[in-house]
Amino acid sequence: MKVMTTLVSGDSSGAALEKSTTWLPEKDIFRSNAKYKVIQGVDLWAFPKIIFGGAFLGILGFATQDTVKWSSLFTQAPIAKEIPAQKIQFETIDLADALKLFYSKDVVFLDAREKKYFDYGSIRGAENLDPEKIGSISLATLKRWKEKSAVVVYCNGVSCGASFYAARQLIEQGIDNVKVYAKGWPEWKSCHLPMTMSQAMMKEEAGAHEESN
Amino acid sequence: MKNQTENRTWRYLVGRSAAILLGLIFLLAAFSKFGDLGEFQKALAMDYFIPLWLRGGAVLLIPGIELSIGVCLIVGGYGREAALIAAFLLFGFAGLGIYGDVTSNAHSCPCFKIHLPAWFDINVGRWVMARNLILIMFAFVSFTWNKKTTQSLEHNS
Protein backbone atom coordinates (compact mmCIF):
# COMPACT_ATOMS: atom_id res chain seq x y z
CA MET A 1 0.00 0.00 0.00
CA LYS A 2 1.25 3.46 -0.90
CA VAL A 3 0.62 6.50 1.25
CA MET A 4 0.66 10.10 0.16
CA THR A 5 3.30 11.77 2.25
CA THR A 6 4.66 15.27 2.54
CA LEU A 7 8.38 15.16 2.86
CA VAL A 8 10.86 17.74 3.90
CA SER A 9 14.45 17.21 2.93
CA GLY A 10 16.87 18.83 5.28
CA ASP A 11 20.43 18.86 6.43
CA SER A 12 21.72 17.42 9.66
CA SER A 13 20.98 20.64 11.56
CA GLY A 14 17.30 20.13 10.85
CA ALA A 15 16.93 23.17 8.62
CA ALA A 16 14.33 22.52 5.96
CA LEU A 17 15.61 22.84 2.42
CA GLU A 18 12.92 21.45 0.18
CA LYS A 19 9.35 20.27 0.55
CA SER A 20 7.58 17.79 -1.66
CA THR A 21 4.50 15.59 -1.69
CA THR A 22 4.82 12.09 -3.02
CA TRP A 23 3.42 8.58 -2.80
CA LEU A 24 5.60 6.28 -0.74
CA PRO A 25 5.21 2.60 0.06
CA GLU A 26 3.89 2.22 3.57
CA LYS A 27 6.93 0.28 4.70
CA ASP A 28 9.25 3.11 3.62
CA ILE A 29 7.54 5.57 5.87
CA PHE A 30 8.61 3.58 8.88
CA ARG A 31 12.10 3.03 7.53
CA SER A 32 14.85 5.01 9.12
CA ASN A 33 15.87 7.72 6.71
CA ALA A 34 17.98 10.64 7.84
CA LYS A 35 17.12 12.66 4.82
CA TYR A 36 13.33 12.76 5.25
CA LYS A 37 10.93 13.68 7.98
CA VAL A 38 7.24 13.02 7.56
CA ILE A 39 5.02 16.01 8.26
CA GLN A 40 1.87 14.58 9.76
CA GLY A 41 0.95 12.71 6.55
CA VAL A 42 -1.72 15.21 5.53
CA ASP A 43 -3.04 15.03 1.99
CA LEU A 44 -3.64 18.58 0.86
CA TRP A 45 -5.91 17.44 -1.95
CA ALA A 46 -8.27 15.96 0.63
CA PHE A 47 -9.42 19.43 1.73
CA PRO A 48 -10.99 20.51 -1.57
CA LYS A 49 -12.33 16.98 -2.03
CA ILE A 50 -14.13 17.03 1.32
CA ILE A 51 -15.36 20.62 1.01
CA PHE A 52 -16.51 20.48 -2.63
CA GLY A 53 -17.92 16.99 -2.15
CA GLY A 54 -19.87 18.27 0.83
CA ALA A 55 -21.01 21.35 -1.07
CA PHE A 56 -22.27 19.12 -3.87
CA LEU A 57 -24.18 16.98 -1.37
CA GLY A 58 -25.61 20.08 0.26
CA ILE A 59 -26.85 21.52 -3.04
CA LEU A 60 -28.25 18.14 -4.01
CA GLY A 61 -30.04 17.88 -0.66
CA PHE A 62 -31.43 21.39 -1.02
CA ALA A 63 -32.68 20.70 -4.54
CA THR A 64 -34.56 17.61 -3.42
CA GLN A 65 -36.25 19.20 -0.40
CA ASP A 66 -39.87 20.23 -0.57
CA THR A 67 -39.74 22.66 2.32
CA VAL A 68 -37.36 25.12 0.67
CA LYS A 69 -36.99 26.80 -2.66
CA TRP A 70 -34.11 28.55 -4.37
CA SER A 71 -35.63 32.02 -4.21
CA SER A 72 -35.73 31.77 -0.43
CA LEU A 73 -31.92 31.91 -0.38
CA PHE A 74 -32.03 35.54 -1.46
CA THR A 75 -34.95 36.79 0.57
CA GLN A 76 -35.15 38.10 4.09
CA ALA A 77 -37.19 35.25 5.42
CA PRO A 78 -37.44 31.64 4.34
CA ILE A 79 -40.64 30.73 2.58
CA ALA A 80 -41.92 27.20 2.75
CA LYS A 81 -43.42 25.53 -0.26
CA GLU A 82 -46.06 23.62 1.65
CA ILE A 83 -47.91 26.75 2.72
CA PRO A 84 -50.17 28.06 -0.04
CA ALA A 85 -48.83 31.28 -1.52
CA GLN A 86 -51.98 33.27 -0.81
CA LYS A 87 -51.74 32.32 2.82
CA ILE A 88 -48.22 33.55 3.41
CA GLN A 89 -48.57 36.86 1.64
CA PHE A 90 -48.12 39.85 3.83
CA GLU A 91 -47.66 43.44 2.93
CA THR A 92 -44.36 45.19 3.47
CA ILE A 93 -44.93 48.79 4.39
CA ASP A 94 -42.74 51.88 4.45
CA LEU A 95 -42.49 54.69 6.97
CA ALA A 96 -45.39 56.69 5.54
CA ASP A 97 -47.75 53.72 5.76
CA ALA A 98 -46.45 52.83 9.20
CA LEU A 99 -47.15 56.36 10.40
CA LYS A 100 -50.65 56.32 8.95
CA LEU A 101 -51.34 53.05 10.72
CA PHE A 102 -49.73 54.32 13.91
CA TYR A 103 -52.19 57.18 14.12
CA SER A 104 -55.19 55.04 13.23
CA LYS A 105 -56.17 53.66 16.60
CA ASP A 106 -57.18 50.17 15.66
CA VAL A 107 -53.69 48.87 14.94
CA VAL A 108 -51.17 47.01 17.05
CA PHE A 109 -47.43 47.29 16.56
CA LEU A 110 -45.41 44.21 17.48
CA ASP A 111 -41.70 44.45 18.18
CA ALA A 112 -39.97 41.21 17.17
CA ARG A 113 -36.64 42.15 18.73
CA GLU A 114 -35.32 40.64 21.92
CA LYS A 115 -36.92 41.85 25.12
CA LYS A 116 -33.86 43.74 26.33
CA TYR A 117 -33.80 45.83 23.13
CA PHE A 118 -37.54 46.34 23.37
CA ASP A 119 -37.15 47.51 26.97
CA TYR A 120 -34.41 49.91 25.93
CA GLY A 121 -36.62 51.63 23.42
CA SER A 122 -39.52 50.85 21.10
CA ILE A 123 -42.27 52.36 19.01
CA ARG A 124 -44.77 53.89 21.41
CA GLY A 125 -47.52 51.46 22.30
CA ALA A 126 -45.79 48.50 20.68
CA GLU A 127 -45.89 45.09 22.29
CA ASN A 128 -42.92 42.77 22.48
CA LEU A 129 -43.20 39.53 20.56
CA ASP A 130 -40.74 36.66 20.70
CA PRO A 131 -41.11 35.06 17.24
CA GLU A 132 -40.04 31.70 18.62
CA LYS A 133 -42.77 31.71 21.22
CA ILE A 134 -45.71 32.66 19.04
CA GLY A 135 -47.06 29.15 19.42
CA SER A 136 -47.40 29.66 23.17
CA ILE A 137 -49.16 33.03 23.05
CA SER A 138 -52.54 32.95 24.77
CA LEU A 139 -55.64 32.64 22.64
CA ALA A 140 -57.02 35.83 24.17
CA THR A 141 -53.99 37.79 22.91
CA LEU A 142 -54.21 36.21 19.47
CA LYS A 143 -57.91 37.02 19.35
CA ARG A 144 -57.22 40.62 20.34
CA TRP A 145 -54.65 40.97 17.56
CA LYS A 146 -56.93 39.27 15.09
CA GLU A 147 -59.66 41.80 15.75
CA LYS A 148 -57.37 44.71 14.92
CA SER A 149 -57.55 46.18 11.43
CA ALA A 150 -53.81 45.60 11.06
CA VAL A 151 -50.95 44.00 12.92
CA VAL A 152 -47.64 45.69 12.12
CA VAL A 153 -44.51 43.71 12.88
CA TYR A 154 -41.10 45.31 12.93
CA CYS A 155 -37.62 44.53 14.15
CA ASN A 156 -34.13 45.89 13.73
CA GLY A 157 -34.27 47.08 10.12
CA VAL A 158 -33.90 45.45 6.73
CA SER A 159 -31.06 43.18 7.75
CA CYS A 160 -33.22 41.61 10.44
CA GLY A 161 -35.28 38.58 9.51
CA ALA A 162 -37.21 38.30 12.76
CA SER A 163 -40.15 40.46 11.63
CA PHE A 164 -40.66 38.39 8.47
CA TYR A 165 -40.37 35.21 10.45
CA ALA A 166 -42.80 36.51 13.06
CA ALA A 167 -45.23 37.62 10.33
CA ARG A 168 -45.26 34.15 8.89
CA GLN A 169 -45.79 32.61 12.29
CA LEU A 170 -48.69 34.97 12.98
CA ILE A 171 -50.30 34.07 9.65
CA GLU A 172 -49.94 30.42 10.60
CA GLN A 173 -51.77 31.26 13.82
CA GLY A 174 -54.68 32.58 11.77
CA ILE A 175 -53.95 36.30 11.83
CA ASP A 176 -54.28 37.48 8.26
CA ASN A 177 -53.99 41.25 8.61
CA VAL A 178 -50.22 41.21 9.14
CA LYS A 179 -47.96 43.89 7.73
CA VAL A 180 -44.19 44.10 8.03
CA TYR A 181 -42.56 47.45 8.60
CA ALA A 182 -39.26 46.36 7.10
CA LYS A 183 -37.06 49.34 7.95
CA GLY A 184 -38.34 49.06 11.48
CA TRP A 185 -36.86 50.49 14.63
CA PRO A 186 -33.69 52.16 13.19
CA GLU A 187 -35.73 54.28 10.76
CA TRP A 188 -38.42 55.12 13.31
CA LYS A 189 -35.82 56.13 15.87
CA SER A 190 -33.78 58.21 13.43
CA CYS A 191 -36.94 60.15 12.51
CA HIS A 192 -37.62 60.85 16.22
CA LEU A 193 -41.16 59.55 15.96
CA PRO A 194 -43.18 58.65 19.08
CA MET A 195 -41.18 56.19 21.16
CA THR A 196 -41.26 54.58 24.55
CA MET A 197 -37.80 55.15 25.96
CA SER A 198 -35.99 53.67 28.91
CA GLN A 199 -34.00 55.89 31.26
CA ALA A 200 -30.79 54.70 29.61
CA MET A 201 -32.04 55.61 26.18
CA MET A 202 -33.24 59.00 27.37
CA LYS A 203 -29.78 59.73 28.77
CA GLU A 204 -28.14 58.61 25.55
CA GLU A 205 -30.49 60.69 23.44
CA ALA A 206 -29.93 63.73 25.67
CA GLY A 207 -26.17 63.27 25.40
CA ALA A 208 -26.36 62.99 21.63
CA HIS A 209 -28.56 66.10 21.51
CA GLU A 210 -26.08 68.10 23.60
CA GLU A 211 -23.21 66.95 21.44
CA SER A 212 -24.99 67.98 18.28
CA ASN A 213 -25.57 71.43 19.79
CA MET B 1 10.44 -1.11 20.66
CA LYS B 2 7.55 -3.30 21.79
CA ASN B 3 6.37 -0.63 24.23
CA GLN B 4 6.59 1.92 21.48
CA THR B 5 4.38 -0.21 19.21
CA GLU B 6 1.87 -0.82 22.01
CA ASN B 7 1.79 2.86 22.77
CA ARG B 8 1.20 3.61 19.10
CA THR B 9 -1.64 1.07 18.91
CA TRP B 10 -3.25 2.47 22.03
CA ARG B 11 -3.05 6.01 20.66
CA TYR B 12 -4.45 4.89 17.34
CA LEU B 13 -7.43 3.28 19.05
CA VAL B 14 -8.14 6.41 21.08
CA GLY B 15 -7.77 8.58 17.97
CA ARG B 16 -10.00 6.29 15.95
CA SER B 17 -12.67 6.24 18.67
CA ALA B 18 -12.59 10.03 18.89
CA ALA B 19 -12.92 10.23 15.11
CA ILE B 20 -15.91 7.87 15.07
CA LEU B 21 -17.63 9.75 17.89
CA LEU B 22 -17.01 13.11 16.25
CA GLY B 23 -18.14 11.67 12.93
CA LEU B 24 -21.39 10.46 14.47
CA ILE B 25 -22.02 13.90 15.95
CA PHE B 26 -21.39 15.54 12.57
CA LEU B 27 -23.68 13.04 10.85
CA LEU B 28 -26.35 13.73 13.44
CA ALA B 29 -25.96 17.48 12.87
CA ALA B 30 -26.11 17.02 9.09
CA PHE B 31 -29.17 14.77 9.09
CA SER B 32 -31.02 16.92 11.61
CA LYS B 33 -30.60 19.80 9.16
CA PHE B 34 -31.31 17.76 6.04
CA GLY B 35 -34.44 16.51 7.82
CA ASP B 36 -35.97 19.93 7.31
CA LEU B 37 -33.79 22.54 5.66
CA GLY B 38 -36.67 25.00 5.98
CA GLU B 39 -36.38 24.79 9.76
CA PHE B 40 -32.63 25.33 9.58
CA GLN B 41 -33.17 28.31 7.29
CA LYS B 42 -35.69 29.77 9.71
CA ALA B 43 -33.28 29.32 12.59
CA LEU B 44 -30.58 31.19 10.66
CA ALA B 45 -33.04 33.93 9.74
CA MET B 46 -33.73 34.37 13.43
CA ASP B 47 -30.07 34.99 14.14
CA TYR B 48 -30.05 38.25 12.34
CA PHE B 49 -26.44 39.08 13.05
CA ILE B 50 -25.56 36.62 10.30
CA PRO B 51 -25.46 38.60 7.03
CA LEU B 52 -28.10 37.78 4.45
CA TRP B 53 -25.59 36.63 1.81
CA LEU B 54 -24.05 34.23 4.31
CA ARG B 55 -27.37 32.71 5.36
CA GLY B 56 -28.13 31.36 1.88
CA GLY B 57 -24.63 29.93 1.54
CA ALA B 58 -24.81 28.39 5.00
CA VAL B 59 -28.11 26.66 4.24
CA LEU B 60 -26.68 25.26 1.02
CA LEU B 61 -23.25 24.21 2.23
CA ILE B 62 -23.13 23.51 5.95
CA PRO B 63 -25.29 20.35 6.07
CA GLY B 64 -23.44 18.83 3.10
CA ILE B 65 -19.99 19.62 4.46
CA GLU B 66 -21.00 18.23 7.85
CA LEU B 67 -22.19 15.10 6.11
CA SER B 68 -18.95 14.60 4.18
CA ILE B 69 -16.86 15.29 7.30
CA GLY B 70 -18.94 12.79 9.28
CA VAL B 71 -18.58 10.09 6.63
CA CYS B 72 -14.81 10.65 6.28
CA LEU B 73 -14.30 10.52 10.05
CA ILE B 74 -16.29 7.32 10.47
CA VAL B 75 -15.01 5.49 7.39
CA GLY B 76 -11.46 6.64 7.98
CA GLY B 77 -10.74 7.86 4.45
CA TYR B 78 -9.21 11.33 4.72
CA GLY B 79 -10.08 11.06 8.38
CA ARG B 80 -7.34 13.32 9.65
CA GLU B 81 -8.02 16.00 7.07
CA ALA B 82 -11.71 15.82 7.92
CA ALA B 83 -10.82 16.23 11.61
CA LEU B 84 -8.87 19.36 10.76
CA ILE B 85 -11.78 20.85 8.79
CA ALA B 86 -14.11 19.88 11.63
CA ALA B 87 -11.88 21.76 14.08
CA PHE B 88 -11.92 24.87 11.88
CA LEU B 89 -15.71 24.67 11.55
CA LEU B 90 -16.11 24.23 15.30
CA PHE B 91 -13.86 27.23 15.94
CA GLY B 92 -16.03 29.22 13.55
CA PHE B 93 -19.26 28.07 15.22
CA ALA B 94 -17.79 28.85 18.63
CA GLY B 95 -16.81 32.34 17.45
CA LEU B 96 -20.28 32.99 16.05
CA GLY B 97 -21.82 31.65 19.25
CA ILE B 98 -19.70 33.93 21.43
CA TYR B 99 -20.49 36.92 19.21
CA GLY B 100 -24.20 36.11 19.22
CA ASP B 101 -24.16 35.66 22.98
CA VAL B 102 -22.23 38.84 23.72
CA THR B 103 -24.39 40.97 21.44
CA SER B 104 -27.56 39.07 22.49
CA ASN B 105 -28.45 38.78 18.84
CA ALA B 106 -28.68 35.02 18.57
CA HIS B 107 -31.85 33.27 19.62
CA SER B 108 -30.61 29.71 19.54
CA CYS B 109 -27.86 27.53 18.20
CA PRO B 110 -29.26 25.84 15.09
CA CYS B 111 -26.61 23.13 15.37
CA PHE B 112 -29.01 20.21 15.84
CA LYS B 113 -32.17 21.92 14.86
CA ILE B 114 -34.77 19.19 14.87
CA HIS B 115 -35.60 15.63 15.87
CA LEU B 116 -33.53 15.93 19.02
CA PRO B 117 -34.46 16.45 22.63
CA ALA B 118 -34.46 20.06 23.74
CA TRP B 119 -31.57 19.59 26.15
CA PHE B 120 -29.30 18.66 23.24
CA ASP B 121 -30.17 21.68 21.13
CA ILE B 122 -29.08 24.19 23.72
CA ASN B 123 -29.31 27.92 23.39
CA VAL B 124 -26.27 30.06 22.79
CA GLY B 125 -24.15 30.74 25.80
CA ARG B 126 -21.46 29.10 27.81
CA TRP B 127 -22.87 25.58 27.39
CA VAL B 128 -22.48 25.82 23.63
CA MET B 129 -18.93 27.04 24.18
CA ALA B 130 -18.23 24.11 26.49
CA ARG B 131 -19.71 21.64 24.01
CA ASN B 132 -17.71 23.13 21.16
CA LEU B 133 -14.51 23.02 23.20
CA ILE B 134 -15.05 19.33 23.91
CA LEU B 135 -15.72 18.65 20.22
CA ILE B 136 -12.62 20.64 19.20
CA MET B 137 -10.64 18.49 21.62
CA PHE B 138 -12.05 15.38 19.96
CA ALA B 139 -11.06 16.80 16.57
CA PHE B 140 -7.49 17.38 17.68
CA VAL B 141 -7.22 13.94 19.26
CA SER B 142 -8.49 12.33 16.07
CA PHE B 143 -6.12 14.49 14.02
CA THR B 144 -3.00 13.71 16.00
CA TRP B 145 -3.63 10.11 17.03
CA ASN B 146 -5.78 8.73 14.27
CA LYS B 147 -2.83 7.73 12.10
CA LYS B 148 -1.74 4.22 11.48
CA THR B 149 0.61 4.59 8.57
CA THR B 150 2.55 7.73 9.32
CA GLN B 151 4.82 8.80 12.10
CA SER B 152 7.60 11.19 12.67
CA LEU B 153 10.95 9.64 11.85
CA GLU B 154 12.78 12.25 13.81
CA HIS B 155 13.70 9.81 16.55
CA ASN B 156 14.80 7.20 14.01
CA SER B 157 17.09 9.48 12.09
Side-chain angles (χ1 to χ4, degrees):
Chain A
M1 183 189 166
K2 287 187 172 183
V3 177
M4 185 172 265
T5 314
T6 306
L7 303 165
V8 172
S9 63
D11 57 15
S12 54
S13 68
L17 299 173
E18 197 183 331
K19 201 183 201 180
S20 64
T21 303
T22 185
W23 288 90
L24 284 181
E26 191 175 352
K27 59 184 171 55
D28 284 357
I29 293 175
F30 293 101
R31 190 176 293 166
S32 174
N33 188 335
K35 198 178 173 187
Y36 295 123
K37 188 169 75 172
V38 176
I39 307 177
Q40 303 290 358
V42 169
D43 180 359
L44 296 179
W45 280 109
F47 296 108
K49 281 179 191 171
I50 293 170
I51 290 168
F52 287 113
F56 175 73
L57 287 173
I59 292 168
L60 198 69
F62 192 90
T64 54
Q65 287 257 335
D66 287 336
T67 54
V68 280
K69 56 182 182 179
W70 293 102
S71 59
S72 67
L73 291 176
F74 312 105
T75 54
Q76 290 288 340
I79 298 165
K81 269 182 186 171
E82 76 271 24
I83 297 174
Q86 70 274 14
K87 209 180 164 192
I88 58 157
Q89 277 177 357
F90 46 79
E91 196 186 339
T92 304
I93 58 170
D94 59 12
L95 181 63
D97 290 332
L99 260 178
K100 262 186 226 165
L101 289 168
F102 181 78
Y103 287 110
S104 68
K105 297 290 173 194
D106 196 25
V107 172
V108 62
F109 275 69
L110 299 179
D111 189 323
R113 295 174 303 154
E114 254 188 48
K115 183 142 188 344
K116 74 177 201 183
Y117 296 110
F118 172 77
D119 290 341
Y120 180 76
S122 62
I123 293 178
R124 189 176 295 163
E127 295 174 33
N128 190 215
L129 169 74
D130 183 344
E132 280 199 315
K133 290 180 183 163
I134 286 175
S136 59
I137 290 173
S138 71
L139 286 175
T141 309
L142 286 174
K143 194 174 169 234
R144 181 165 57 82
W145 290 346
K146 206 172 177 177
E147 284 166 356
K148 298 280 181 187
S149 61
V151 173
V152 180
V153 191
Y154 71 92
C155 62
N156 204 29
V158 286
S159 64
C160 160
S163 55
F164 291 89
Y165 179 73
R168 199 188 127 184
Q169 297 289 308
L170 287 170
I171 290 167
E172 283 177 354
Q173 294 294 327
I175 298 172
D176 48 10
N177 50 352
V178 180
K179 296 174 195 300
V180 173
Y181 172 32
K183 290 189 179 172
W185 172 245
E187 187 182 52
W188 192 273
K189 188 185 159 197
S190 67
C191 294
H192 300 286
L193 293 167
M195 295 178 275
T196 304
M197 292 192 274
S198 63
Q199 292 286 342
M201 187 182 170
M202 276 187 207
K203 270 184 196 167
E204 196 182 288
E205 289 290 305
H209 186 68
E210 275 172 23
E211 267 178 31
S212 66
N213 286 338
Chain B
M1 190 67 190
K2 193 187 170 191
N3 278 346
Q4 203 180 345
T5 311
E6 275 174 8
N7 194 26
R8 204 181 303 149
T9 310
W10 181 81
R11 279 182 171 200
Y12 171 72
L13 286 175
V14 172
R16 193 78 195 93
S17 309
I20 289 171
L21 199 67
L22 191 66
L24 284 174
I25 289 169
F26 266 80
L27 279 190
L28 196 65
F31 282 118
S32 75
K33 290 182 187 93
F34 273 128
D36 191 345
L37 281 174
E39 277 293 317
F40 178 49
Q41 204 174 9
K42 268 195 276 180
L44 285 180
M46 291 295 300
D47 296 341
Y48 43 83
F49 68 93
I50 301 173
L52 183 63
W53 59 268
L54 199 61
R55 285 181 211 155
V59 172
L60 271 184
L61 304 180
I62 286 180
I65 291 175
E66 283 178 344
L67 179 65
S68 66
I69 289 173
V71 169
C72 287
L73 284 170
I74 289 171
V75 173
Y78 298 135
R80 303 184 62 237
E81 291 82 358
L84 212 55
I85 299 174
F88 276 114
L89 267 184
L90 289 165
F91 269 121
F93 293 153
L96 274 178
I98 290 169
Y99 179 76
D101 193 36
V102 167
T103 58
S104 300
N105 267 342
H107 287 69
S108 70
C109 153
C111 322
F112 306 93
K113 196 56 205 165
I114 48 167
H115 308 315
L116 284 172
W119 61 266
F120 206 84
D121 194 20
I122 40 188
N123 284 333
V124 290
R126 55 189 168 176
W127 291 112
V128 170
M129 302 308 115
R131 188 185 66 190
N132 277 2
L133 280 177
I134 292 168
L135 293 182
I136 288 168
M137 206 170 68
F138 272 98
F140 278 110
V141 168
S142 52
F143 176 74
T144 43
W145 286 356
N146 182 19
K147 49 182 177 181
K148 201 176 185 180
T149 55
T150 56
Q151 66 166 20
S152 168
L153 297 179
E154 211 164 12
H155 60 276
N156 287 340
S157 57

